[in-house]
Amino acid sequence: MFAIVQAAGWPIWPLLACSVLALALIIERFWSLRANKVVPPALLADIEQLEGKALPGADTADKLAEHSLLGEVLASGLRSVLADPLINDVRLRQVFEVAGRGAVHQLERYLTLLGTIATAAPLLGLLGTVVGMIEIFASQTPGSGSPEQLAHGISIALYNTAFGLIVAIPALICHRHFRRLVDGFELQLENATERFYSLLTRHTHTAMRAARMHAANAAAHSGFSPSQQ
């Protein structure tokens, strides 16, 4: 392997750096973009079971936030309702939208860098090819020619071209795969958040009706109606 690196010349060093970085990013994304870390099926089932039940408390919100990426989004809305049971629908939706944008940002982390490596690696390989061709022509002086220099220039050109493709092809395939996973997770996050939003708004609407009835009863006991205020 070291002999190949020596034969390929200095242009291969940026490609080696790209290969190490791409491998690290691919491993990290495979680990992070797992369903049980983003949208666990058990959590989706738990959302359905909350239908018609009382809202969970702050401890449950904390556990949700530590559970998964979807849990973080749901916990943000739950905390808002627990802090202000009379929160209006627009404000609650804004809370979910902000949390959702943060979740999408986490899902897309490093994908731009991986895509850049997939695009840049063939160009770096082409750079090595050009350097090799320059060395070939530089070694061919009038009246003399060095076979060793000619072979060295050809090896630089071919090794860098091949290594650039070796780095770019897996990086491109993984980038497309991760992009598809992220798109699917975004749709699941949106659907789950919308169901949880509907559940929370039913509780907030109930709290608003109770507050209005309490105000009306208080006004009646004080001897005047709200219309007389």
Side-chain angles (χ1 to χ4, degrees):
M1 181 65 183
F2 185 69
I4 294 176
V5 173
Q6 282 186 317
W10 67 264
I12 203 172
W13 289 106
L15 282 170
L16 286 173
C18 286
S19 68
V20 173
L21 182 57
L23 180 60
L25 295 178
I26 290 170
I27 293 174
E28 191 279 336
R29 288 291 83 192
F30 267 119
W31 178 260
S32 298
L33 295 178
R34 293 175 295 156
N36 63 342
K37 289 180 67 68
V38 182
V39 283
L43 182 56
L44 296 176
D46 290 342
I47 295 175
E48 299 295 339
Q49 293 177 1
L50 288 175
E51 188 76 27
K53 296 182 179 179
L55 280 180
D59 292 341
T60 302
D62 294 337
K63 291 179 181 178
L64 269 178
E66 299 172 358
H67 190 273
S68 61
L69 199 57
L70 173 60
E72 292 180 17
V73 177
L74 301 184
S76 65
L78 179 58
R79 285 167 175 161
S80 297
V81 173
L82 292 175
D84 181 11
L86 302 180
I87 186 172
N88 62 62
D89 294 357
V90 175
R91 175 57 186 155
L92 182 59
R93 185 171 290 277
Q94 288 176 345
V95 170
F96 276 122
E97 287 177 353
V98 171
R101 284 195 293 269
V104 171
H105 178 73
Q106 292 187 51
L107 289 173
E108 295 179 343
R109 186 174 55 180
Y110 303 136
L111 291 189
T112 300
L113 181 55
L114 185 60
T116 301
I117 292 174
T119 303
L123 298 178
L124 292 173
L126 180 60
L127 174 63
T129 302
V130 172
V131 171
M133 297 300 293
I134 291 173
E135 291 202 11
I136 290 174
F137 286 111
S139 66
Q140 303 303 306
T141 58
S144 65
S146 172
E148 291 80 7
Q149 286 293 328
L150 179 62
H152 180 63
I154 292 175
S155 67
I156 290 178
L158 295 181
Y159 278 132
N160 281 279
T161 301
F163 201 76
L165 294 175
I166 290 172
V167 174
I169 292 172
L172 179 60
I173 292 173
C174 290
H175 179 267
R176 294 291 179 85
H177 173 67
F178 293 144
R179 184 74 263 175
R180 183 185 63 81
L181 281 180
V182 168
D183 291 341
F185 284 145
E186 287 180 11
L187 182 59
Q188 293 182 60
L189 283 170
E190 183 178 351
N191 291 336
T193 302
E194 191 64 32
R195 292 201 301 271
F196 197 59
Y197 168 80
S198 299
L199 187 149
L200 291 180
T201 53
R202 282 195 287 272
H203 285 276
T204 58
H205 293 169
T206 300
M208 290 176 184
R209 287 193 296 269
R212 286 195 294 267
M213 291 179 61
H214 178 75
N217 291 335
H221 283 90
S222 63
F224 58 92
S225 66
S227 60
Q228 295 175 324
Q229 291 181 347

